[in-house]
Amino acid sequence: MRSRGVIARVPAKVNLQLSVGPLGSDGYHEVTTVFQAISLFDDVSVATAAIGNGLTIDISGQTSMGVPVDSSNLAIMAAELMIKNYDLPKDLAIKLKKEIPVAGGMAGGSADAAGVIVGLDSLFELGLSRDEMESIGSQIGSDVPFSICGGVAIGTGRGDQITPALAKGTYFWALALSGQGLSTPAVYQECDRLREGLSISTPQVSESLMQALRAGDAKALGKSLTNDLQSAACSLRPALRLILDVGVDYGALGGIVSGSGPTVAFLVSSEEHAMDLTVALSASGVVSSVVRASGPVSGARIIESF
Ligand code: C5P
């Protein structure tokens, strides 16, 4: 039997706002977040395989180091759930070509799960709606629904209830990467520790941020970036404060830890500005590498069938 497959391309994300509410009894925090999908991509290939081969995964690309190849990999979890829900063949070959940093606060693992869901929907012509795919994605991880949706969107609940938002213009980013990732649960725990004894209410979407996005005003957006996990990420990784200071000193419109970190995302005014900031951050010696990206871009989409 000839193998048939598709390749889905899936973007990374930054959180323009990440407001963390109280810890619920399910172990998750109620969040209000605004996501933007940016132009760093994982390519996720899913293909049929010979009977008896089972579910296999092959991982390559710039950021493939340290990605698990067992069932803790979100792509495998997503494939297993899709196989169970839709009675799909169990012999499938997944290939990840990774560009999104691992454990960097940019939804790299979630992107791979999103690629598998969208890829299998296309390969087996399941005809699932975006809502259906997002609801499957939310069972895998809180960021998976946004990786399917892309663009700019508001996330509520665990961050998995997605509402697309109006945004004008293109935004440019310089992203300071760290050699070593941060664990999302550890950052949330540190956030709880830092806020112990405070009364925490349900967060609201920032009106100034949404206004900046509607106007396509990068300068105003830079001033409106907020992340409640930033103090926690900096507490666990103090060097992040230094990186934030360097970026702002060198003229970034705004700087923020992305999600649970440790990637630091700097909003800049143009591609040239991103290049200037890249040079400054690299020369400062406090950053291991810098990549540039722009957003918003679309969510998981099929780029090839074979
Ligand atoms: O949903 P996901 O698997 O990405 O979440 C990883 C961990 O991050 C959770 O187990 C939880 O500890 C923490 N988390 C949280 N509140 C959220 C999302 C994630 O506490 N809204």
Side-chain angles (χ1 to χ4, degrees), residues 18-24 26-32 74 77 110 137-144 156-160 183-189 192 229 260:
L18 177 50
S19 300
V20 179
L23 174 63
D26 58 358
Y28 283 81
H29 296 75
E30 196 177 343
V31 305
T32 296
L74 299 191
M77 284 168 63
S110 303
S138 73
Q139 295 169 53
I140 306 294
S142 309
D143 288 337
V144 181
T156 53
R158 297 174 172 187
D160 59 337
S183 139
T184 304
V187 176
Y188 270 103
Q189 258 172 39
D192 290 338
L229 292 180
S260 56

Side-chain angles (χ1 to χ4, degrees), residues 24 56 77 94 114 131 138 148-149 160 169 195 212 252 266 270 277 281 289 291 299 302:
T56 60
M77 284 168 63
I94 302 172
D131 275 1
S138 73
I148 294 172
C149 171
D160 59 337
R195 303 198 305 194
F266 293 106
S270 63
L277 193 63
L281 286 164
S289 64
V291 295
I302 303 298

Side-chain angles (χ1 to χ4, degrees), residues 128-138 145 148 160 162 164:
L128 299 177
S129 67
R130 207 195 69 206
D131 275 1
E132 284 169 313
M133 290 192 275
E134 286 181 9
S135 137
I136 294 163
S138 73
I148 294 172
D160 59 337
I162 298 297

Side-chain angles (χ1 to χ4, degrees), residues 276-301:
D276 292 346
L277 193 63
T278 301
V279 172
L281 286 164
S282 305
S284 74
V286 295
V287 173
S288 60
S289 64
V290 185
V291 295
R292 291 171 294 285
S294 60
V297 296
S298 63
R301 67 195 167 90

